[in-house]
Amino acid sequence: MIPFRITIVGSGSAIPTLQRAATSQVVQYNGTTLLIDCAEGTQIQLKKLKISIMRIDHVFISHLHGDHYFGLIGLINTLHLIGRTNPLTIFGPSELIDILNLQLKASDTKLRYTIHFNALQTDGKQLIFEDKNLRYYSFPVIHRIPTWGFLFEEKETERQINPLFVAQQKLDIPTIKAIKSGSDYTDGNGNTVANNLITFPLDKRRSYAFCTDTSFDERLATYFNGVSVLYYEATFMHHMADTAAETFHSTSKQAAQMALIANAEKLLIGHFSSRYTDLQPLLDESRAVFPNTDLALDGNVFEIAV
Ligand SMILES: [Zn+2]
Ligand SMILES: [Zn+2]
C-alpha cells in the first residue's frame, strides 16, 4: 500500500508553549511532500522530525493569523540560502503574496527559485490542484478573517486483478500491468475476457481533511463527507463553548460532532489553547461522542490505512 502519512509539526494555537508549537503539518504521499501552515518555529520542528525542507513540493496556508504562517518567510529564505532551484507552489489567501514580496524586497532577496502562488477562492469547495496520485481541494471555513480548510483525496487507483486468474493463466508482468490499467485479456487461443470480469476496484479512496480555525457549523461536513481522517480544531473544552463561538473557534465536543456528521473514520484534534497542559479531558470529551479520536501532538505520525 502506498504510504499516506500525516506528521503533526505543531499542534498549539495562538501562543506556542514548550510542549506545543503553533500550527503546521506535513502530508507525505508516494514521494510528494506537502506542508500545511507554517507557524513560527516550523523550521526547527521539521529539523527535529528529520523532515527535509528541500523536499517540500507545495505549501498550503489556511489563513493570515500569525500562528499559521509567521514561519513561512523564514522557510522561504532558508530554501534560498541552501540552494533550492525547484519551484515552490504556495496556496494561500490572496494578500499572502504581497506580504512575502514586501519581506523579500526589504531584505533585497532575489530568490534562486520561483514561487508559484495560487490565491484561494471563497466560493465553496474548489479543486485547486491535482497530480498523478491526489486531488487537492480548498473550502472556506468560518473564522474572524477569511480562512480555508483543505482536503487531499486519492484518485481512483489502478484496478486490482483477481490473483486466481493470474495464477491460472500464468500471466506475465506486462500483461498484468495492461489488465490493471483497463485492458481486456486475450488468451493464446484468441478468446477475450472482459476486464471487469477479472478485476475489481479498490474498496475506497483514502483522504485527509484539515479543518481549523473555525466556528462549528454542520454544513462544513459536506466538504469532507466520508473522509478517512479528519483533523479538526479543539481549541477549548465544551464548557467554554461561548468563548469558542465568540472567537470563531470550536470545542473538543464539537470536533467530535463534526467527525460524526461527516462520517469520518478517524478524528484528530488539535489547535489546543495554551491554557491546557493536560489534554486528557479534551480527548475524553471527544471520545464520548466519537470514540475513534486521537490527540494530534507535536511529532505524532499518523498513517492513513485502507
Ligand atoms: Zn490559529
Ligand atoms: Zn486564526
Side-chain angles (χ1 to χ4, degrees):
M1 184 175 47
I2 297 169
F4 192 170
R5 181 177 303 135
I6 316 302
T7 303
I8 307 302
V9 180
S11 63
S13 56
I15 304 168
T17 69
L18 286 174
Q19 289 72 39
R20 297 190 293 274
T23 300
S24 181
Q25 301 188 357
V26 166
V27 177
Q28 290 163 303
Y29 187 102
N30 203 21
T32 301
T33 301
L34 317 175
L35 180 71
I36 312 176
D37 282 347
C38 187
E40 172 194 353
T42 294
Q43 288 191 68
I44 297 293
Q45 290 286 99
L46 290 172
K47 259 199 166 44
K48 285 183 190 162
L49 293 166
K50 299 187 167 44
I51 295 174
S52 162
I53 59 171
M54 276 298 222
R55 303 200 60 154
I56 295 170
D57 298 291
H58 311 300
V59 178
F60 301 81
I61 300 295
S62 63
H63 66 302
L64 295 180
H65 280 154
D67 57 321
H68 296 260
Y69 86 105
F70 276 175
L72 185 57
I73 190 65
L75 179 88
I76 287 171
N77 195 56
T78 301
L79 289 173
H80 168 70
L81 294 175
I82 62 177
R84 183 178 179 121
T85 52
N86 288 340
L88 180 70
T89 315
I90 302 177
F91 299 85
S94 58
E95 302 93 329
L96 178 60
I97 191 62
D98 299 331
I99 296 169
L100 296 174
N101 282 336
L102 179 63
Q103 288 173 311
L104 293 169
K105 186 178 165 211
S107 59
D108 192 25
T109 305
K110 294 181 179 59
L111 293 179
R112 295 195 184 101
Y113 60 95
T114 310
I115 289 178
H116 293 309
F117 182 76
N118 297 278
L120 298 169
Q121 309 297 319
T122 48
D123 42 348
K125 185 173 170 179
Q126 302 265 344
L127 176 67
I128 53 174
F129 189 71
E130 60 184 303
D131 57 28
K132 69 179 192 325
N133 297 307
L134 298 174
R135 289 196 180 88
Y136 305 64
Y137 297 91
S138 68
F139 52 87
V141 298
I142 305 150
H143 201 40
R144 198 157 54 75
I145 59 173
T147 301
W148 286 265
F150 302 104
L151 172 69
F152 306 96
E153 192 174 64
E154 264 182 328
K155 285 183 169 176
E156 196 82 39
T157 45
E158 286 180 324
R159 291 177 71 82
Q160 302 300 292
I161 192 164
N162 182 346
L164 207 59
F165 187 78
V166 176
Q168 282 169 352
Q169 301 291 325
K170 298 188 170 51
L171 300 183
D172 59 15
I173 302 290
T175 310
I176 292 170
K177 282 188 171 169
I179 293 172
K180 279 188 162 199
S181 51
S183 301
D184 294 337
Y185 173 68
T186 306
D187 67 16
N189 301 321
N191 302 315
T192 297
V193 186
N195 185 277
N196 63 0
L197 297 177
I198 49 177
T199 64
F200 49 91
L202 269 187
D203 288 348
K204 67 179 189 68
R205 287 175 287 160
R206 293 173 292 171
S207 55
Y208 177 61
F210 171 92
C211 194
T212 190
D213 300 12
T214 183
S215 300
F216 177 79
D217 186 322
E218 293 91 341
R219 286 170 295 184
L220 292 177
T222 60
Y223 294 134
F224 41 80
N225 187 35
V227 71
S228 312
V229 177
L230 168 66
Y231 173 86
Y232 189 90
E233 71 145 284
T235 308
F236 301 104
M237 287 197 66
H238 201 66
H239 69 89
M240 294 187 70
D242 289 347
T243 308
E246 282 160 20
T247 55
F248 295 90
H249 284 295
S250 301
T251 68
S252 35
K253 184 178 174 184
Q254 289 169 337
Q257 288 170 328
M258 186 62 76
L260 197 65
I261 297 164
N263 302 296
E265 286 168 29
K266 184 180 181 65
L267 170 66
L268 304 177
I269 53 172
H271 198 267
F272 306 112
S273 163
S274 58
R275 79 192 62 223
Y276 301 114
T277 44
D278 178 13
L279 297 171
Q280 190 63 40
L282 287 94
L283 182 60
D284 292 344
E285 195 172 74
S286 255
R287 283 186 173 167
V289 176
F290 192 82
N292 196 9
T293 304
D294 273 333
L295 297 170
L297 301 175
D298 293 23
N300 283 170
V301 176
F302 299 94
E303 304 279 354
I304 304 183
V306 170

